[in-house]
Amino acid sequence: MRILVAGGGGFIGRHLVRSLLERGHEVITLGRSKPNLDELRDSPNLPHTHLVSDLSEPVQLRVDSIYNFASPASPLQHKKDPIQTIQSNVMGTWNLLNLAADLQVPFFQASTAEIYGSPSVSPQPESYQGSSDTFGERASYVESKRLAETLCSEFNYVHNVPIRVARIFSTYGPGMPLGNGRVIGNFISQALSGRPITIYGDGEDLRSFLFIDDLVTGIVRMMESKESRVGPVNLGSGEVVSLYKLGEKIIDLTNSSSELTFHPSSSSSAKALVPDITLARDLLAWEPRVGLDEGLTVTIQNFLRSPGNP
């Protein structure tokens, strides 16, 4: 199959692209930055091409399926350029859905657990409508992701586009960016450099973290479905940890001298962002296989082996 992965240069996109290539597919990536596929450098003839685009214009390609990961993912990026975040999530999704409608091919939308906002129920099932602030500091990301889901639903209804929508919870693993505003990346970066580990709030906020290989498996299973509409489906881990315990784990696994420090948290920070993955189990026969301790160990070791890192 010939597959388009928009946003293939991002953390999740790169892992998905490698998986698709290894499965024998031809992959076209599209984005402002070319994916770094160093792990495949020993197989230079793999069918991969990259097109430079910010998705502000319509896309014209012949492909058999489309995956949309074309969105800034870092909280620091959202804060720096919120308009670009909205454009990517709304106009980018619009242009890709129009391509899917023209070709009548399956479309995968990478949505986010953050559309649940600061939830009043935990764990969060897909039926929970969320609690968000249109004027909040993360509104550019959260509200544009919500609208992207609506676009998918309406293109399915009006144009019969086969859609798959995954609400992705915090994901980590080898190759993740460190120190970009995401919790695990920040904690590992701080621990390896011996700096204080920064926790916003009292450390009792609860999170779940999904290893990247488990996420890719879930994504592929969604796309392999023969149904016209799949989702929204939560893809996340049911293993829950407080931010305090996470910081302690990372200090221990890195043998770091760092200490935990506590700072005031944002009023929009969720106290417990944890998925109910019952639907994913029932619909996709999917659940995570990699535990947090194992996944963190692999992630830290990979980072230490990377050139230029301590």
Side-chain angles (χ1 to χ4, degrees):
M1 293 179 63
R2 195 169 191 238
I3 298 174
L4 173 62
V5 180
F11 167 55
I12 297 173
R14 293 196 310 272
H15 281 268
L16 175 64
V17 168
R18 284 195 291 267
S19 176
L20 294 172
L21 288 170
E22 289 166 352
R23 290 167 179 259
H25 299 296
E26 177 186 356
V27 178
I28 299 171
T29 52
L30 187 152
R32 290 181 293 174
S33 60
K34 186 174 181 179
N36 180 359
L37 301 175
D38 286 345
E39 290 85 349
L40 298 175
R41 61 184 177 274
D42 293 332
S43 304
N45 296 321
L46 286 171
H48 167 243
T49 56
H50 179 74
L51 303 176
V52 176
S53 172
D54 63 1
L55 285 174
S56 60
E57 301 293 336
V59 180
Q60 295 183 343
L61 290 169
R62 299 294 301 182
V63 294
D64 299 301
S65 62
I66 300 170
Y67 293 81
N68 182 22
F69 291 88
S71 169
S74 165
L76 300 181
Q77 291 174 289
H78 307 155
K79 186 175 182 179
K80 180 180 179 181
D81 196 347
I83 302 301
Q84 175 62 44
T85 296
I86 295 170
Q87 178 180 318
S88 296
N89 285 329
V90 178
M91 293 309 300
T93 302
W94 172 273
N95 286 327
L96 290 171
L97 279 166
N98 273 299
L99 176 63
D102 289 343
L103 300 175
Q104 283 296 292
V105 298
F107 182 90
F108 177 90
Q109 172 66 17
S111 190
T112 174
E114 294 194 40
I115 70 164
Y116 294 123
S118 184
S120 58
V121 299
S122 184
Q124 293 85 50
E126 291 84 354
S127 59
Y128 178 64
Q129 295 183 355
S131 174
S132 61
D133 177 4
T134 57
F135 279 68
E137 62 181 17
R138 299 293 302 279
S140 65
Y141 181 67
V142 175
E143 299 303 319
S144 58
K145 280 291 191 180
R146 289 173 69 94
L147 180 52
E149 284 197 11
T150 303
L151 285 171
C152 289
S153 176
E154 298 303 340
F155 267 78
N156 173 253
Y157 176 71
V158 176
H159 298 297
N160 298 312
V161 174
I163 64 158
R164 292 88 175 89
V165 177
R167 291 176 179 166
I168 299 172
F169 283 70
S170 296
T171 302
Y172 71 101
M176 70 180 301
L178 300 186
N180 74 335
R182 295 286 189 177
V183 171
I184 284 185
N186 281 358
F187 283 10
I188 292 176
S189 176
Q190 291 166 343
L192 290 175
S193 64
R195 291 175 288 143
I197 289 183
T198 304
I199 296 178
Y200 293 96
D202 59 8
E204 296 304 318
D205 290 358
L206 301 179
R207 295 291 185 271
S208 68
F209 298 95
L210 182 65
F211 191 66
I212 184 64
D213 291 356
D214 286 329
L215 175 62
V216 170
T217 299
I219 290 169
V220 171
R221 288 192 187 177
M222 287 185 72
M223 205 57 150
E224 289 174 344
S225 172
K226 303 302 182 184
E227 299 295 325
S228 172
R229 176 175 180 150
V230 180
V233 175
N234 289 337
L235 293 182
S237 171
E239 184 178 359
V240 181
V241 64
S242 70
L243 295 182
Y244 179 86
K245 291 295 185 183
L246 176 67
E248 287 189 325
K249 277 181 181 291
I250 289 176
I251 287 174
D252 181 58
L253 291 170
T254 56
N255 194 27
S256 174
S257 60
S258 296
E259 295 182 353
L260 303 179
T261 60
F262 300 88
H263 303 266
S265 65
S266 164
S267 59
S268 62
S269 176
K271 293 298 181 184
L273 201 55
V274 178
D276 181 335
I277 59 173
T278 302
L279 182 59
R281 287 193 182 106
D282 294 345
L283 190 64
L284 307 173
W286 173 90
E287 62 183 332
R289 295 181 177 275
V290 180
L292 183 59
D293 286 355
E294 178 187 354
L296 286 174
T297 299
V298 171
T299 302
I300 292 166
Q301 289 177 347
N302 178 269
F303 181 74
L304 290 173
R305 288 196 301 268
S306 300
N309 293 320

